[in-house]
């Protein structure tokens, strides 16, 4: 594709196919996103695209086609540049003194390959546009350079074509860098896997791995696919997914992610997701879709571009008529060509998609997956943000927060070892951290709704919510903690307090959001006492407690309109409707697939601070888009009148037109260097 008009033409052809619900063609990524009904054939889509004068490339062939096109374009630039230089010298013998090549027929012979070989693509695109009753940038180039050829201005036509081709070559090379994020992600995948087949270990290609395969991973190797450890333990570098470089300790039962890096130990895991189902493949898919999606701000550029070419043709004719009437036919001709050449809508077409592509790619590098461009554009406008409590603000599982003494913890953990209760797991885990050797328990019995009892070394103990509550225990309960009391013979020996604790950095995030003027709310199904305790710890002043899962989405809808643009941050299945209802849904990477699917932004790195990073990414990306659009519009507003009044010759116009597109792409590439 050569300009935004090309993209609009393909969209129009695709939309004309029966059964196509919607389609969007991204000029920056040269990809089409099509929503269609069942029954629409691939052949129908291919024929529509070919009818517009273009071809569909598969994922596997795309890179190769791009390389071939760049090589071909490079050859055309070199040949046309040499011929143009000779033509220019021959056109001005009084300047250079080479009268031998100043023959008009010789110059024409040199011009024809430039016009109809190097510039043949312009004619093809123009003809395709005319067949479909539309005009594009190529139409302007064909009219301008053909007029120069007929008028005998061989140097002008040759230089214009050469400079435009050079601009396209540089633009294509610059655009190639906008998809670096995808290439990096794809390059992370392991190539082989060491699979246990029978009593042997064999190396097979990653494509041959199937669900259920047992795979051994040694220190210093990449994990081939997603799975669950069944034997061994190790520290795994998950920075590919999370952006966090500190290795994560993995033991039996833990999930491992394909393409992450095994650091220290050796382990065997069972493959659970392979091929397109792996997390890496899903990340690549989401980033690719986001890069191809269209931001709402793009609509302005699309509207302008659709009217732009016809308007330029009218202006060019008007310029010719005015100068001709003034008695300057030569100026009329030259200025008309300059207007046609300078007025390129490429920069407008590239302004938004190139920035979106790089912005979403940069987000992926930091563990922030952005599903669509709309979420990226909207995020910086957030006025109110609602956080789910459990699993979002808090760790999501109980942890021991207070103990009366270490002896109580040891006895309580010994009793809870035989329990399957989630609170018991927290007590046992804490004792394990402190290196306790648990005692043997006899006569273990669970008392429903009350606690557990058992005998240790001949002494009977009870551990649960029964017993006299001291002032300290009442204080802990007021803080939203669950306090379990250890008794023996109805005598209170001590207590252990358990609570779902805040994630690291929550208070910092809340404080930062508040300083930005963003209203922060917490929503939870917990009772008001527990909600207030968590809110106090986090610095959140506004709470919605006792909200049932099916009511969360309704609460979000109530907030919309009267509280500005709303963001919802959650992780569970019950959060999915609220995530979808919000202007921007942000799912924690620790959450369910349903929640992630419903959100516009996913924090794979599980870090609550990434909420701030996502907002900053949105802000800097939108700033770059606005800069691009300002330049793209400003360029045409200034230089079209300049060309019309004779301040810009056609050759300079061609150079300026190429420079405008390149400058937009280079400005977008600045996003890679910006800190967020």
């Amino acid at each position: 594709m050569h300009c935004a008009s090309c993209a609009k033409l393909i969209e129009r052809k695709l939309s004309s196919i029966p059964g196509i619900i919607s389609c969007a063609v991204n000029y920056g990524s040269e990809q089409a996103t099509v929503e269609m009904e069942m029954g629409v054939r691939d052949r129908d889509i291919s024929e529509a695209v070919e009818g517009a004068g273009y071809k569909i490339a598969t994922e596997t062939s795309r890179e190769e086609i791009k390389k071939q096109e760049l090589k071909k374009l490079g050859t055309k630039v070199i040949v046309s540049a040499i011929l143009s230089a000779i033509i220019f010298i021959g056109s001005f013998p009084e300047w250079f003194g080479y009268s031998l090549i100043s023959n008009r027929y010789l110059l024409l012979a040199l011009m024809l390959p430039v016009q109809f070989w190097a510039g043949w693509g312009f004619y093809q695109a123009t003809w395709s546009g005319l067949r479909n009753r539309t005009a594009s940038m190529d139409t302007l180039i064909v009219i301008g350079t053909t007029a120069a050829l007929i008028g005998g201005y061989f140097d002008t036509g040759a230089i214009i074509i050469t400079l435009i081709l050079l601009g396209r070559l540089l633009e294509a090379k610059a655009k190639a860098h906008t998809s670096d994020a995808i290439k990096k992600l794809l390059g992370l995948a392991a190539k082989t896997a060491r699979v246990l087949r029978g009593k042997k270990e064999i190396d097979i290609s990653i494509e041959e791995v199937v669900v259920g395969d047992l795979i051994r991973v040694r220190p210093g190797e990449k994990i081939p696919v997603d799975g669950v450890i069944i034997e061994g333990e190790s520290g795994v570098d998950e920075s590919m997914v999370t952006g966090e470089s500190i290795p994560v300790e993995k033991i039996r039962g833990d999930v491992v992610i394909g393409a992450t890096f095994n650091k220290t130990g050796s382990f065997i895991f069972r493959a659970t997701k392979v091929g397109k189902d792996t997390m890496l493949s899903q990340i690549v898919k989401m980033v690719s879709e986001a890069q191809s999606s269209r931001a709402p701000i793009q609509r302005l550029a699309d509207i302008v571009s659709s009217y732009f070419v016809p308007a330029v043709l009218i202006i060019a004719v008007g310029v010719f008529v005015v100068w001709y009437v003034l008695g300057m036919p030569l100026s009329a001709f030259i200025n008309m060509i300059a207007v046609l050449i300078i007025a390129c809508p490429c920069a407008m077409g590239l302004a938004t998609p190139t920035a979106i592509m790089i912005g979403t790619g940069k987000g992926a590098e930091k563990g922030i997956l952005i599903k669509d461009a709309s979420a990226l554009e909207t995020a910086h406008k957030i006025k109110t943000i609602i956080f789910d409590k459990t699993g979002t603000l808090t760790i999501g599982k109980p942890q021991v927060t207070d103990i009366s003494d270490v002896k109580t913890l040891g006895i309580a953990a010994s009793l809870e070892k035989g329990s399957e209760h989630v609170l018991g797991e927290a007590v046992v885990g804490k004792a394990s951290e402190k290196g306790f050797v648990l005692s043997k328990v006899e006569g273990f019995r669970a008392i429903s709704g009350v606690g557990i009892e058992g005998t240790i070394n001949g002494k009977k103990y009870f551990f649960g919510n029964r017993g006299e509550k001291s002032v300290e225990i009442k204080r802990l309960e007021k803080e939203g903690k669950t306090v379990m009391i250890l008794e023996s013979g109805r005598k209170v020996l001590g207590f252990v307090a358990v609570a779902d604790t805040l994630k690291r950095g929550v208070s910092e995030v809340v404080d930062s959001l508040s300083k930005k003027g963003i209203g922060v709310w917490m929503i939870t199904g917990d009772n008001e006492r527990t909600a207030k305790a968590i809110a106090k710890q986090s610095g959140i002043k506004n709470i919605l407690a006792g909200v049932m899962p099916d009511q969360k989405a309704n609460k979000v809808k109530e907030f919309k309109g009267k509280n500005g643009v709303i963001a919802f941050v959650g992780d569970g299945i019950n959060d999915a409707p609220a995530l979808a209802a919000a202007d921007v849904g942000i799912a924690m990477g620790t959450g369910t697939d349903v929640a992630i699917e419903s959100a516009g932004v996913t924090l794979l790195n599980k870090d609550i601070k990434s909420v701030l990073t996502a907002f900053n990414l949105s802000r800097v990306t939108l700033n770059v888009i606005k800069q691009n659009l300002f330049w793209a519009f400003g360029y045409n507003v200034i230089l079209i009148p300049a060309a019309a009044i004779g301040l810009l010759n056609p050759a300079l116009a061609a150079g300026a037109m190429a420079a405008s597109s390149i400058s937009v792409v280079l400005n977008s590439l600045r996003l890679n260097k910006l800190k967020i």
Side-chain angles (χ1 to χ4, degrees):
M1 287 188 285
H2 303 146
C3 65
S5 298
C6 304
K8 295 300 293 182
L9 172 59
I10 297 170
E11 275 185 10
R12 201 170 78 190
K13 292 293 289 185
L14 288 171
S15 298
S16 67
I17 301 172
I20 297 293
I21 300 168
S22 66
C23 70
V25 178
N26 187 305
Y27 171 44
S29 64
E30 298 185 350
Q31 290 181 323
T33 304
V34 182
E35 185 183 356
M36 57 191 177
E37 297 173 353
M38 295 290 291
V40 179
R41 301 172 301 170
D42 292 346
R43 192 169 128 194
D44 296 332
I45 295 174
S46 297
E47 287 176 354
V49 173
E50 287 170 6
Y54 301 90
K55 291 182 180 179
I56 293 178
T58 62
E59 282 297 323
T60 52
S61 66
R62 191 176 173 192
E63 284 300 313
E64 188 57 37
I65 291 171
K66 284 285 181 188
K67 285 180 184 176
Q68 290 175 1
E69 284 181 350
L70 277 173
K71 187 178 178 180
K72 188 177 178 182
L73 189 55
T75 303
K76 285 185 175 183
V77 168
I78 293 169
V79 173
S80 61
I82 294 169
L83 293 175
S84 296
I86 298 171
I87 292 168
F88 186 76
I89 293 169
S91 299
F92 299 95
E94 66 276 15
W95 294 2
F96 302 99
Y98 290 97
S99 57
L100 289 174
I101 56 172
S102 61
N103 182 279
R104 300 295 292 174
Y105 293 105
L106 177 60
L107 295 178
L108 175 62
L110 293 171
M111 174 61 186
L112 290 176
V114 178
Q115 186 79 37
F116 297 109
W117 174 71
W120 185 242
F122 303 133
Y123 285 92
Q124 284 180 313
T126 298
W127 173 241
S128 177
L130 291 173
R131 282 195 298 121
N132 292 282
R133 298 183 300 280
T134 188
S136 67
M137 169 201 158
D138 297 289
T139 310
L140 304 181
I141 295 168
V142 165
I143 294 172
T145 58
T146 304
L149 176 66
I150 295 169
Y153 298 97
F154 304 136
D155 57 312
T156 300
I159 291 170
I160 286 170
I161 289 172
T162 301
L163 288 175
I164 291 172
L165 291 175
L166 177 62
R168 287 189 177 177
L169 179 64
L170 296 174
E171 180 190 312
K173 287 186 174 183
K175 278 169 68 177
H177 291 294
T178 62
S179 58
D180 282 351
I182 292 285
K183 291 175 184 174
K184 281 182 186 177
L185 287 170
L186 290 170
L188 293 171
K191 302 296 185 286
T192 60
R194 188 172 291 106
V195 179
L196 279 65
R197 297 278 171 85
K199 295 181 180 180
K200 291 184 179 180
E201 293 182 8
I202 59 170
D203 289 336
I204 62 173
S205 70
I206 196 75
E207 291 81 12
E208 295 177 76
V209 178
V210 297
V211 173
D213 272 342
L214 299 182
I215 302 169
R216 183 183 295 279
V217 184
R218 292 173 179 158
E221 293 181 341
K222 281 186 178 180
I223 297 168
V225 295
D226 299 0
V228 177
I229 294 177
I230 61 169
E231 184 184 309
E233 57 186 57
S234 182
V236 177
D237 180 356
E238 293 186 336
S239 57
M240 175 280 290
V241 175
T242 65
E244 178 58 60
S245 58
I246 300 171
V248 181
E249 293 301 318
K250 299 284 185 178
I251 60 174
R252 182 177 178 181
D254 284 346
V255 173
V256 289
I257 302 166
T260 55
F261 192 74
N262 182 35
K263 299 286 284 188
T264 53
S266 176
F267 59 87
I268 297 172
F269 76 98
R270 179 176 285 106
T272 56
K273 292 180 180 179
V274 300
K276 63 180 177 28
D277 296 324
T278 64
M279 181 174 284
L280 177 64
S281 295
Q282 292 301 309
I283 291 171
V284 169
K285 183 184 175 192
M286 285 183 73
V287 173
S288 181
E289 287 175 352
Q291 291 185 342
S292 299
S293 62
R294 182 175 295 170
I297 199 170
Q298 177 69 26
R299 292 171 193 152
L300 176 63
D302 289 345
I303 292 168
V304 172
S305 295
S306 65
Y307 294 103
F308 192 76
V309 174
V312 169
L313 288 171
I314 293 169
I315 292 169
V317 171
V319 167
F320 180 86
V321 170
V322 169
W323 282 97
Y324 192 86
V325 170
L326 292 172
M328 291 178 276
L330 180 61
S331 295
F333 189 75
I334 291 173
N335 294 342
M336 179 190 72
I337 294 174
V339 169
L340 289 170
I341 299 303
I342 196 69
C344 168
C346 289
M348 282 185 280
L350 291 167
T352 300
T354 52
I356 292 293
M357 288 173 73
I358 296 168
T360 52
K362 191 171 180 68
E365 288 175 7
K366 293 185 173 291
I368 303 169
L369 273 187
I370 297 161
K371 188 186 288 185
D372 57 55
S374 178
L376 183 63
E377 181 179 334
T378 309
H380 78 293
K381 302 176 185 176
I382 298 297
K383 293 299 178 185
T384 303
I385 184 165
I386 305 171
F387 288 95
D388 173 55
K389 181 182 78 70
T390 307
T392 302
L393 294 175
T394 65
I395 293 171
K397 61 180 182 179
Q399 292 187 319
V400 174
T401 57
D402 305 86
I403 55 173
S404 57
D405 58 90
V406 291
K407 187 179 178 182
T408 295
L409 177 63
I411 296 170
S414 297
L415 291 168
E416 288 286 5
K417 191 178 178 183
S419 169
E420 295 180 352
H421 198 279
V422 66
L423 299 182
E425 290 176 6
V427 175
V428 173
K430 188 69 174 180
S432 178
E433 277 180 32
K434 292 189 173 291
F436 278 91
V437 178
L438 302 184
S439 304
K440 185 180 179 182
V441 178
E442 297 176 339
F444 174 84
R445 186 167 74 97
I447 306 169
S448 182
V450 181
I452 56 175
E453 63 181 19
T455 301
I456 301 174
N457 297 328
K459 191 173 183 179
K460 193 171 183 180
Y461 295 95
F462 171 84
F463 185 62
N465 60 13
R466 190 179 71 192
E468 188 179 343
K469 295 181 180 179
S470 63
V471 174
E472 187 175 8
I473 290 173
K474 288 178 180 177
R475 178 184 63 79
L476 292 170
E477 287 185 336
K478 207 168 182 180
E479 292 175 1
K481 297 173 181 178
T482 300
V483 183
M484 294 170 285
I485 300 169
L486 180 68
E487 295 180 358
S488 182
R490 290 287 181 175
K491 182 183 178 182
V492 175
L493 303 177
F495 66 84
V496 178
V498 176
D500 188 5
T501 56
L502 279 178
K503 288 180 178 177
R504 188 176 61 184
V506 168
S507 299
E508 184 183 333
V509 170
V510 172
D511 183 59
S512 181
L513 290 169
S514 300
K515 286 178 179 176
K516 292 177 186 291
I518 297 172
V520 183
W521 288 73
M522 182 182 75
I523 191 167
T524 178
D526 281 343
N527 60 64
E528 194 165 340
R529 186 184 70 182
T530 303
K532 282 182 176 178
I534 293 294
K536 187 178 179 182
Q537 294 175 43
S538 62
I540 296 174
K541 296 181 174 60
N542 309 302
I543 62 169
L544 295 167
V547 180
M548 294 295 102
D550 58 338
Q551 296 173 345
K552 287 184 179 179
N554 291 333
K555 290 291 182 184
V556 170
K557 290 173 183 176
E558 287 175 16
F559 271 67
K560 289 175 74 173
K562 60 181 181 181
N563 294 76
V565 180
I566 304 293
F568 185 91
V569 188
D571 73 315
I573 292 175
N574 60 333
D575 295 327
L579 287 164
D583 295 301
V584 179
I586 303 173
M588 303 301 295
T590 50
T592 62
D593 291 342
V594 177
I596 291 170
E597 185 63 30
S598 303
V601 179
T602 301
L603 308 181
L604 285 178
N605 55 22
K606 308 168 191 177
D607 187 353
I608 196 73
K609 292 181 183 177
S610 291
V611 171
L612 298 175
T613 307
F615 289 174
N616 290 335
L617 179 63
S618 171
R619 177 180 53 78
V620 297
T621 303
L622 260 293
N623 284 343
V624 168
I625 290 173
K626 287 174 181 177
Q627 291 165 10
N628 287 348
L629 287 173
F630 178 81
W631 166 244
F633 285 122
Y635 155 83
N636 284 294
V637 168
I638 295 169
L639 293 187
I640 289 178
I645 61 176
L647 297 178
L648 207 62
N649 68 51
L652 287 175
M657 182 267 285
S660 70
S661 298
I662 296 166
S663 64
V664 164
V665 177
L666 292 177
N667 189 50
S668 296
L669 288 170
R670 280 195 315 113
L671 279 168
N672 284 320
K673 306 294 182 184
L674 295 176
K675 290 186 178 181
I676 55 171

